[in-house]
Amino acid sequence: MNFNIVQEKYIDETKQGEAFAIAEKPQNSKKLFLESYGCQMNFSDSEIVASILNEQGYNTTLKQEEADLILLNTCSIREKAEQTVRMRLSQFKNLKKEKPNLTVGVLGCMAERLKTKFLEEEQLVDLVVGPDAYRDLPNLLKETDGGRDAINVILSKEETYADINPVRLGGSGVTAFVTITRGCDNMCTFCVVPFTRGRERSRDPHSIIKECVDLWENGYKEITLLGQNVDSYLWYGGGAKKDFKNASEIQKLTAVKFSQLLDMVATAVPEMRIRFSTSNPHDMTTDVFEVMAKHKNICKYVHLPVQSGSDRMLEKMNRQHTRDEYLDLIAQAKKIVPEIAFSQDMIIGFCGETEEDHQMTLSLMREVGYDYGYMFAYSERPGTPAHKKMEDDVPADVKQRRLAEVIALQGELSRKRMQGYVGRIHEVLIEGTSKKNENQWKGRNSQNAVCVFDKLEGQKLGDIVSVMVHGNTQGTLLGTTVQSVSVEVN
Ligand code: SAH
Ligand code: F3S
């Protein structure tokens, strides 16, 4: 699996994480095995960690047996995700017996959530580091080298790792992630992210643009601007948004909001394809769509999680918008950017969800006509408002049945959307060789649909080619390269 394919937005939490390696410095003698779980943000953070450790004498490796340091960058979003990491940790037990000097560390959301409990419960973990403490890794490793356990789970209001040039792990050199915000202030009642990733903060736009320009100069052709909620990006000379007591204080400063940042990035790298994730219906404004319409290089695709189609559920989830407001936003987007595609996240079986609420979710999906979806049975997370105040009362079998219905409907909708792309010419960025056939390329169109087509002489990775789509499966477009372009989809 290639983590650069954005469609695989969240890695299947029942599967082992992914290890990537290319961080190399010839003078480095130590080996780091770094495995990532969860969302794109974690993969992006792993690139920062690899960069910091590259300066500390570590090159990355794909072979856990030859590692001096094993780090798992973990996810807490659902219980399953945590179970998978625990199982993985137990596999390192034997390795540690054979190699007493091996250090095993846990990074990311589980580290933040469980803190010292990790050192107490999981005897084989030597190092616990939360998402805002990666700069401290060199010091923490000095502790573990001295035979002591080490932990830093302090969350920061400022840390954006703005000045750290991430080592690009595992990609094909064509697509890259650029983090623009960290943390989340939204407090959806089901969500552990505000507790594990802390307060929301935005990265200096100058450093974002510099990173994008550097990527272009290094041959990258597509970037994804990343944040838990990109629409609430707001920069005004540093500091956390909430540090300013009133709006007039903010007014005095030169502020940059998300639509402006997007405009600036699209202008700075006019031939780079630009995507962004994740959008939030409460914080997204129509000026983002205006900017999308203005720039040909911004892909016409928005991942816009909604979680439920029922107002009752949306309120209990503290999503701060109604079903109608969401549908309005989608309608405006379609007006401003007619070729736009949407994907969703849904939580099925949240506290008190009735059959009627469930039907509202299905009808909302039909109304929007999503290209893709990421659907999850509700998993209660310790410490969240829902865990404290609500009852996880939808029986597991009901959750599973409703989930199956939602997944089946999304399958139908995806197939229909893919069929709509047939018979047209699409601009596709070549991202790699198809998994199923080495004589075929795979890439994505502007709407993020995966497209496979026969390789032609002279074509190479990173080319943007015109592909006539003549068929489809539920999630893939099948096409042929055409030489002359008469119609363009984006
Ligand atoms: N804004 C974030 C959301 C992170 S969580 C982003 O960048 O995508 C990703 C998705 O996991 C959410 O949209 C939600 O659909 C799902 N999720 C979050 N908490 C959950 C829980 N307790 N149980 C089941 N699914 C959950
Ligand atoms: Fe979680 Fe809601 Fe933020 S889903 S990441 S609290 S927008």
Side-chain angles (χ1 to χ4, degrees), residues 20-51:
F20 293 99
I22 51 159
E24 291 296 337
K25 263 192 178 180
Q27 67 271 33
N28 282 352
S29 58
K30 290 181 277 186
K31 295 247 185 271
L32 159 69
F33 179 83
L34 173 56
E35 203 167 74
S36 297
Y37 292 79
C39 65
Q40 293 163 329
M41 204 81 185
N42 261 7
F43 287 90
S44 178
D45 281 1
S46 288
E47 296 184 328
I48 287 168
V49 168
S51 173

Short mmCIF file of all heavy atoms in Angstrom, two decimals, residues 20-51:
data_model
loop_
_atom_site.label_atom_id
_atom_site.label_comp_id
_atom_site.label_asym_id
_atom_site.label_seq_id
_atom_site.Cartn_x
_atom_site.Cartn_y
_atom_site.Cartn_z
N PHE A 20 8.62 3.01 6.45
CA PHE A 20 9.20 3.61 5.26
C PHE A 20 10.62 4.01 5.55
O PHE A 20 10.96 4.32 6.68
CB PHE A 20 8.41 4.84 4.83
CG PHE A 20 7.04 4.49 4.38
CD1 PHE A 20 5.97 4.63 5.24
CD2 PHE A 20 6.82 3.97 3.14
CE1 PHE A 20 4.70 4.29 4.85
CE2 PHE A 20 5.56 3.62 2.72
CZ PHE A 20 4.49 3.77 3.58
N ALA A 21 11.43 3.98 4.51
CA ALA A 21 12.82 4.35 4.73
C ALA A 21 13.41 5.00 3.51
O ALA A 21 13.26 4.49 2.41
CB ALA A 21 13.63 3.10 5.07
N ILE A 22 13.99 6.15 3.69
CA ILE A 22 14.97 6.65 2.73
C ILE A 22 15.89 7.68 3.38
O ILE A 22 16.73 8.25 2.71
CB ILE A 22 14.38 7.26 1.43
CG1 ILE A 22 13.31 8.29 1.75
CG2 ILE A 22 13.98 6.24 0.40
CD1 ILE A 22 13.08 9.24 0.58
N ALA A 23 15.66 7.92 4.67
CA ALA A 23 16.48 8.93 5.33
C ALA A 23 17.92 8.41 5.45
O ALA A 23 18.21 7.55 6.26
CB ALA A 23 15.92 9.23 6.70
N GLU A 24 18.82 8.91 4.62
CA GLU A 24 20.17 8.39 4.56
C GLU A 24 21.20 9.50 4.73
O GLU A 24 21.11 10.53 4.09
CB GLU A 24 20.42 7.73 3.19
CG GLU A 24 19.66 6.44 2.96
CD GLU A 24 20.08 5.33 3.90
OE1 GLU A 24 21.21 5.37 4.43
OE2 GLU A 24 19.25 4.43 4.14
N LYS A 25 22.17 9.25 5.57
CA LYS A 25 23.36 10.09 5.62
C LYS A 25 24.50 9.11 5.73
O LYS A 25 24.51 8.28 6.65
CB LYS A 25 23.33 10.97 6.88
CG LYS A 25 22.82 12.36 6.66
CD LYS A 25 23.11 13.19 7.89
CE LYS A 25 22.63 14.62 7.64
NZ LYS A 25 22.90 15.44 8.81
N PRO A 26 25.49 9.16 4.83
CA PRO A 26 26.52 8.13 4.80
C PRO A 26 27.26 7.98 6.14
O PRO A 26 27.64 6.89 6.54
CB PRO A 26 27.47 8.58 3.69
CG PRO A 26 26.92 9.82 3.11
CD PRO A 26 25.64 10.16 3.75
N GLN A 27 27.41 9.12 6.85
CA GLN A 27 28.19 9.05 8.10
C GLN A 27 27.39 8.47 9.26
O GLN A 27 27.93 8.18 10.31
CB GLN A 27 28.76 10.43 8.46
CG GLN A 27 27.74 11.49 8.85
CD GLN A 27 27.21 12.27 7.66
OE1 GLN A 27 27.08 11.75 6.55
NE2 GLN A 27 26.87 13.53 7.87
N ASN A 28 26.06 8.29 9.08
CA ASN A 28 25.23 7.76 10.17
C ASN A 28 25.45 6.26 10.35
O ASN A 28 25.48 5.52 9.38
CB ASN A 28 23.76 8.02 9.88
CG ASN A 28 23.37 9.46 10.17
OD1 ASN A 28 24.17 10.22 10.71
ND2 ASN A 28 22.15 9.83 9.81
N SER A 29 25.56 5.85 11.62
CA SER A 29 25.83 4.43 11.84
C SER A 29 24.67 3.70 12.50
O SER A 29 24.58 2.48 12.48
CB SER A 29 27.08 4.29 12.72
OG SER A 29 26.83 4.98 13.94
N LYS A 30 23.70 4.46 13.09
CA LYS A 30 22.60 3.79 13.80
C LYS A 30 21.38 3.64 12.89
O LYS A 30 21.19 4.43 11.97
CB LYS A 30 22.26 4.57 15.07
CG LYS A 30 23.36 4.46 16.11
CD LYS A 30 23.04 5.19 17.37
CE LYS A 30 23.36 6.66 17.24
NZ LYS A 30 23.20 7.41 18.48
N LYS A 31 20.56 2.65 13.23
CA LYS A 31 19.41 2.37 12.36
C LYS A 31 18.08 2.54 13.10
O LYS A 31 17.89 2.03 14.20
CB LYS A 31 19.48 0.93 11.84
CG LYS A 31 20.68 0.68 10.94
CD LYS A 31 20.22 0.41 9.52
CE LYS A 31 21.34 0.03 8.59
NZ LYS A 31 21.98 1.18 7.94
N LEU A 32 17.17 3.25 12.43
CA LEU A 32 15.84 3.52 12.98
C LEU A 32 14.78 2.80 12.14
O LEU A 32 14.74 2.95 10.92
CB LEU A 32 15.58 5.03 12.93
CG LEU A 32 14.12 5.51 12.96
CD1 LEU A 32 13.50 5.25 14.34
CD2 LEU A 32 14.03 7.00 12.63
N PHE A 33 13.94 2.01 12.83
CA PHE A 33 12.78 1.39 12.17
C PHE A 33 11.56 2.16 12.65
O PHE A 33 11.24 2.15 13.84
CB PHE A 33 12.71 -0.09 12.57
CG PHE A 33 11.53 -0.81 11.97
CD1 PHE A 33 11.58 -1.33 10.70
CD2 PHE A 33 10.37 -1.01 12.72
CE1 PHE A 33 10.50 -2.01 10.15
CE2 PHE A 33 9.28 -1.69 12.19
CZ PHE A 33 9.35 -2.19 10.90
N LEU A 34 10.90 2.86 11.74
CA LEU A 34 9.82 3.77 12.12
C LEU A 34 8.54 3.34 11.41
O LEU A 34 8.47 3.33 10.18
CB LEU A 34 10.24 5.20 11.69
CG LEU A 34 9.25 6.34 11.80
CD1 LEU A 34 8.72 6.48 13.21
CD2 LEU A 34 9.94 7.65 11.40
N GLU A 35 7.54 2.99 12.22
CA GLU A 35 6.30 2.46 11.64
C GLU A 35 5.16 3.42 11.99
O GLU A 35 5.03 3.82 13.14
CB GLU A 35 6.04 1.08 12.25
CG GLU A 35 5.17 0.19 11.42
CD GLU A 35 5.23 -1.25 11.94
OE1 GLU A 35 4.64 -1.53 13.00
OE2 GLU A 35 5.88 -2.07 11.30
N SER A 36 4.31 3.74 11.01
CA SER A 36 3.24 4.72 11.24
C SER A 36 1.86 4.11 11.15
O SER A 36 1.61 3.26 10.29
CB SER A 36 3.34 5.85 10.23
OG SER A 36 4.55 6.52 10.38
N TYR A 37 0.99 4.58 12.00
CA TYR A 37 -0.42 4.13 12.05
C TYR A 37 -1.31 5.35 11.92
O TYR A 37 -0.92 6.45 12.29
CB TYR A 37 -0.69 3.43 13.38
CG TYR A 37 0.04 2.12 13.52
CD1 TYR A 37 1.38 2.10 13.85
CD2 TYR A 37 -0.60 0.91 13.29
CE1 TYR A 37 2.07 0.90 13.95
CE2 TYR A 37 0.07 -0.29 13.38
CZ TYR A 37 1.41 -0.29 13.70
OH TYR A 37 2.09 -1.48 13.79
N GLY A 38 -2.55 5.13 11.45
CA GLY A 38 -3.56 6.19 11.54
C GLY A 38 -3.63 7.12 10.35
O GLY A 38 -3.57 6.68 9.21
N CYS A 39 -3.74 8.40 10.65
CA CYS A 39 -4.09 9.38 9.61
C CYS A 39 -2.85 9.92 8.91
O CYS A 39 -1.72 9.67 9.30
CB CYS A 39 -4.90 10.51 10.23
SG CYS A 39 -3.95 11.47 11.42
N GLN A 40 -3.10 10.75 7.89
CA GLN A 40 -2.01 11.33 7.11
C GLN A 40 -1.11 12.20 7.98
O GLN A 40 0.08 12.31 7.73
CB GLN A 40 -2.61 12.18 5.99
CG GLN A 40 -3.34 11.34 4.98
CD GLN A 40 -4.27 12.18 4.12
OE1 GLN A 40 -4.80 13.19 4.56
NE2 GLN A 40 -4.46 11.77 2.88
N MET A 41 -1.71 12.81 8.97
CA MET A 41 -0.94 13.66 9.88
C MET A 41 0.19 12.88 10.55
O MET A 41 1.29 13.39 10.73
CB MET A 41 -1.92 14.16 10.95
CG MET A 41 -1.51 15.40 11.59
SD MET A 41 -1.96 16.78 10.54
CE MET A 41 -1.22 18.05 11.49
N ASN A 42 -0.09 11.64 10.92
CA ASN A 42 0.94 10.82 11.55
C ASN A 42 2.08 10.51 10.58
O ASN A 42 3.24 10.48 10.98
CB ASN A 42 0.33 9.50 12.06
CG ASN A 42 0.05 9.55 13.54
OD1 ASN A 42 0.17 10.60 14.17
ND2 ASN A 42 -0.35 8.42 14.11
N PHE A 43 1.72 10.26 9.33
CA PHE A 43 2.76 9.98 8.35
C PHE A 43 3.62 11.22 8.15
O PHE A 43 4.84 11.13 8.03
CB PHE A 43 2.14 9.52 7.03
CG PHE A 43 1.61 8.12 7.13
CD1 PHE A 43 0.31 7.89 7.52
CD2 PHE A 43 2.45 7.03 6.90
CE1 PHE A 43 -0.17 6.60 7.67
CE2 PHE A 43 1.98 5.74 7.03
CZ PHE A 43 0.66 5.53 7.42
N SER A 44 2.96 12.37 8.15
CA SER A 44 3.68 13.63 8.00
C SER A 44 4.59 13.86 9.22
O SER A 44 5.75 14.26 9.08
CB SER A 44 2.66 14.75 7.85
OG SER A 44 3.29 15.97 7.74
N ASP A 45 4.07 13.58 10.41
CA ASP A 45 4.89 13.72 11.62
C ASP A 45 6.09 12.78 11.60
O ASP A 45 7.17 13.12 12.08
CB ASP A 45 4.04 13.42 12.87
CG ASP A 45 3.15 14.60 13.26
OD1 ASP A 45 3.18 15.62 12.56
OD2 ASP A 45 2.45 14.48 14.28
N SER A 46 5.88 11.58 11.07
CA SER A 46 7.00 10.62 11.03
C SER A 46 8.14 11.18 10.19
O SER A 46 9.32 10.91 10.47
CB SER A 46 6.54 9.28 10.43
OG SER A 46 5.71 8.61 11.37
N GLU A 47 7.81 11.97 9.18
CA GLU A 47 8.86 12.58 8.35
C GLU A 47 9.65 13.62 9.15
O GLU A 47 10.84 13.80 8.94
CB GLU A 47 8.23 13.20 7.10
CG GLU A 47 7.59 12.14 6.21
CD GLU A 47 7.02 12.66 4.90
OE1 GLU A 47 6.57 13.82 4.86
OE2 GLU A 47 7.04 11.91 3.92
N ILE A 48 8.97 14.29 10.07
CA ILE A 48 9.65 15.24 10.95
C ILE A 48 10.57 14.49 11.92
O ILE A 48 11.72 14.85 12.13
CB ILE A 48 8.62 16.12 11.70
CG1 ILE A 48 8.01 17.11 10.71
CG2 ILE A 48 9.24 16.85 12.88
CD1 ILE A 48 6.80 17.84 11.19
N VAL A 49 10.04 13.39 12.47
CA VAL A 49 10.82 12.57 13.42
C VAL A 49 12.07 12.03 12.71
O VAL A 49 13.19 12.10 13.24
CB VAL A 49 9.96 11.42 13.98
CG1 VAL A 49 10.80 10.40 14.72
CG2 VAL A 49 8.87 11.98 14.89
N ALA A 50 11.89 11.51 11.49
CA ALA A 50 13.03 10.96 10.74
C ALA A 50 14.07 12.05 10.50
O ALA A 50 15.28 11.80 10.57
CB ALA A 50 12.56 10.36 9.42
N SER A 51 13.58 13.26 10.23
CA SER A 51 14.48 14.37 9.97
C SER A 51 15.29 14.72 11.22
O SER A 51 16.51 14.91 11.16
CB SER A 51 13.64 15.56 9.51
OG SER A 51 14.42 16.69 9.38
#
